[in-house]
Amino acid sequence: MIRVLIADDQALLRGSFRLLIDSEDDLSVVGEAGDGREAVALTRTESPDVVLMDVRMPEMDGITATGQITGDTRVLILTTFDLDEYVYSALRAGASGFLLKDAPPDDLLKAIRVVASGETLLAPTVTTRLIAEFVRRPVQQPFHGLDTLTDREREVLTLVAHGLSNAELSVQLQVSPGTVKTHIGRLLAKLNARDRAQLVIAAYEARLVTPR
């Protein structure tokens, strides 16, 4: 059972999301939050697998709240604002996915399952604009721990940023899938990154890869 927390300042939307999610056999809503501060507090007490997080909320916005959520909880950003700044800031804060609120119901349910499995959810158009955003802005606070990476770990990080899956990494590096998982795990730990999305950001900010 995938446990979901809904964070949105509109009660009607929260109710609609709850009905949709609870209608699925493998999904369950464990709480609702009307602002970012409440979302952080409920995450600590309920330990959901996924938080559906709105961007614009009172008290504390969704991006700030995302940055305060730690542990195994994944954050899926839901917003009506398809803006580059939100995408970049949300992923930099630790979000595992980004979806517009007008997405079809089936897409939302699929997104929850994808994010809960540990994968990153980004539409190709969002990814393209996100890379362009890396070029536009200067790096102000690069990920800590980049200087502790071995040559092999830097190689793996570069390939991850190019979009290679674990299976493709295994072939490219000529190592077992288990070894690939070990490398990914060490990268996540050393960079204090939540998932592959943050690894990609770290690689771009370290200029290990540059947009074409």
Side-chain angles (χ1 to χ4, degrees):
M1 183 66 70
I2 299 173
R3 296 160 49 83
V4 182
L5 174 68
I6 303 169
D8 195 295
D9 62 343
Q10 298 183 46
L12 184 59
L13 275 178
R14 293 200 306 271
S16 298
F17 288 147
R18 175 184 280 273
L19 287 174
L20 174 65
I21 294 168
D22 280 340
S23 69
E24 299 294 302
D25 293 338
D26 61 332
L27 304 177
S28 176
V29 175
V30 297
E32 297 180 21
D35 59 63
R37 198 178 306 280
E38 187 178 4
V40 173
L42 282 174
T43 298
R44 291 170 180 166
T45 58
E46 299 297 332
S47 299
D49 299 301
V50 177
V51 177
L52 294 185
M53 186 79 76
D54 187 22
V55 172
R56 292 186 173 180
M57 292 186 291
E59 298 296 328
M60 179 187 292
D61 65 80
I63 294 174
T64 301
T66 296
Q68 294 187 16
I69 290 176
T70 58
D72 295 329
T73 297
R74 306 288 178 177
V75 177
L76 175 60
I77 295 291
L78 283 176
T79 182
T80 55
F81 305 97
D82 185 13
L83 299 178
D84 298 335
E85 182 67 24
Y86 288 139
V87 177
Y88 179 89
S89 299
L91 294 177
R92 189 62 168 80
S96 297
F98 188 92
L99 197 67
L100 295 180
K101 286 183 179 179
D102 61 1
D106 285 347
D107 286 359
L108 174 59
L109 297 174
K110 179 182 177 181
I112 293 172
R113 295 182 177 107
V114 168
V115 170
S117 71
E119 296 298 322
T120 300
L121 183 78
L122 279 179
T125 54
V126 172
T127 303
T128 300
R129 297 198 322 276
L130 180 61
I131 291 174
E133 182 73 6
F134 285 125
V135 179
R136 187 185 69 79
R137 65 170 60 214
V139 177
Q140 297 179 346
Q141 293 182 326
F143 279 74
H144 295 294
L146 285 167
D147 57 343
T148 69
L149 301 183
T150 65
D151 290 340
R152 188 59 153 181
E153 288 166 347
R154 284 178 174 270
E155 181 182 9
V156 173
L157 181 60
T158 301
L159 293 174
V160 168
H162 282 301
L164 272 67
S165 66
N166 280 13
E168 291 169 333
L169 285 171
S170 179
V171 174
Q172 177 79 14
L173 300 173
Q174 297 185 332
V175 298
S176 70
T179 299
V180 170
K181 289 183 179 180
T182 298
H183 283 312
I184 297 296
R186 287 176 178 168
L187 285 171
L188 292 171
K190 285 188 175 183
L191 300 178
N192 193 29
R194 182 170 293 172
D195 54 25
R196 294 174 87 98
Q198 286 198 314
L199 291 183
V200 172
I201 290 177
Y204 274 99
E205 291 187 346
R207 300 297 188 254
L208 293 179
V209 290
T210 55
R212 297 175 183 175

